[in-house]
Amino acid sequence: MLLHIESRSCGILATPESFAVRLALFGGSFDPPHNAHLALCLYARELLKLDRLIISVSRNPFKEGFDASDSERCHMAGLLVQELNRTGNEAVLCDSELRRSQSPSYTIDMVRELALDYPGAELFLLIGEDNARGFRQWKNWQELRDKCRVVVFRRGGLQNDNSACAGEAFTSDIRFVHFDFSISSTRIRRDLAAGKECGRLLPKSIAGYIRQQGLYASSTSFPER
């Protein structure tokens, strides 16, 4: 069952009294969501003392297509939210980027919506190092930078020059966080298609859904437990 959140701003907050809060936006294709996504969200929740963590499923303009459908990706992101909320209730799923008529979707549209609806909120944008390197290619990246506090999660084993990672896109407000968790959705899709076992890379609920739906071309990559 798809975890669908209605309303213009994904039903994140209900009352004006709640506006002075700390909101974080973590967007992605989630094709599929994996344990690094889960770990990053749990880390960010504690590190930034978040009141709400918004998991937004997107149509990435830098990707040619997706292996799973919009509804399948959204369902898996909903399962990720359920995993996050096992230890709290801060995470919510937002599919408004998918419900917009335009394709692809853009982060700035979501951020503008949040800024209008929750003018007192402190908004964080959570991104990985690869996205930070290409940040100046994002639509209206200057406005996005100005409306959010950007938090970049960096992989271990790479150079520690933050300016090289961010280029000239960010001001001193940028925050870099060491996050040594090298799993990628691309790797998982490739391994699943090759029949390799990937259950240890995914939350159990998401691995089960992939197996049940026969996603990514192999149903033999998750041994029954």
Side-chain angles (χ1 to χ4, degrees):
M1 178 179 179
L2 175 64
L3 301 178
H4 182 80
I5 298 173
E6 297 289 348
S7 91
R8 187 163 161 252
S9 292
C10 303
I12 296 160
L13 300 170
T15 63
E17 290 76 16
S18 300
F19 284 5
V21 296
R22 295 164 73 87
L23 304 178
L25 176 62
F26 182 50
S29 303
F30 300 113
D31 191 22
H34 48 66
N35 284 337
H37 292 139
L38 178 62
L40 184 152
C41 289
L42 290 171
Y43 187 23
R45 186 180 69 181
E46 301 304 317
L47 181 69
L48 303 174
K49 302 185 187 309
L50 300 175
D51 296 295
R52 283 291 183 270
L53 173 58
I54 307 157
I55 306 298
S56 182
V57 187
S58 67
R59 297 189 187 99
N60 190 330
F62 299 111
K63 293 187 177 180
E64 295 182 358
F66 306 101
D67 286 67
S69 68
D70 286 355
S71 62
E72 289 165 339
R73 293 188 297 116
C74 206
H75 189 103
M76 288 188 286
L79 294 174
L80 176 65
V81 166
Q82 288 183 346
E83 294 289 340
L84 289 167
N85 286 341
R86 289 179 184 273
T87 54
N89 61 355
E90 294 87 358
V92 293
L93 172 67
C94 188
D95 65 355
S96 67
E97 292 191 64
L98 297 181
R99 290 188 282 118
R100 291 192 179 98
S101 57
Q102 70 182 45
S103 181
S105 59
Y106 297 97
T107 302
I108 187 60
D109 296 324
M110 180 70 177
V111 167
R112 286 170 178 165
E113 186 175 294
L114 291 169
L116 285 173
D117 286 356
Y118 308 109
E122 185 174 8
L123 182 58
F124 298 86
L125 178 63
L126 312 181
I127 63 176
E129 183 172 355
D130 291 341
N131 284 330
R133 291 181 183 278
F135 193 75
R136 282 179 290 177
Q137 299 177 41
W138 291 31
K139 181 180 179 181
N140 297 99
W141 65 266
Q142 298 98 328
E143 180 185 355
L144 190 58
R145 176 198 60 193
D146 294 341
K147 287 184 181 296
C148 303
R149 296 189 64 184
V150 181
V151 182
V152 179
F153 289 81
R154 301 201 61 183
R155 294 188 299 276
L158 298 177
Q159 61 181 350
N160 293 319
D161 183 359
N162 290 338
S163 62
C165 173
E168 300 174 358
F170 299 114
T171 66
S172 59
D173 290 336
I174 181 69
R175 180 170 184 176
F176 291 90
V177 176
H178 176 72
F179 183 72
D180 193 2
F181 213 126
S182 57
I183 300 176
S184 74
S185 296
T186 300
R187 170 191 168 187
I188 291 172
R189 293 194 305 271
R190 181 180 65 245
D191 286 353
L192 287 174
K196 296 182 180 179
E197 196 278 317
C198 292
R200 62 185 175 81
L201 305 177
L202 298 151
K204 185 176 180 179
S205 60
I206 294 173
Y209 179 78
I210 292 173
R211 181 175 60 245
Q212 292 165 7
Q213 300 298 313
L215 300 180
Y216 310 117
S218 177
S219 60
T220 63
S221 304
F222 303 101
E224 295 290 344
R225 290 182 171 87

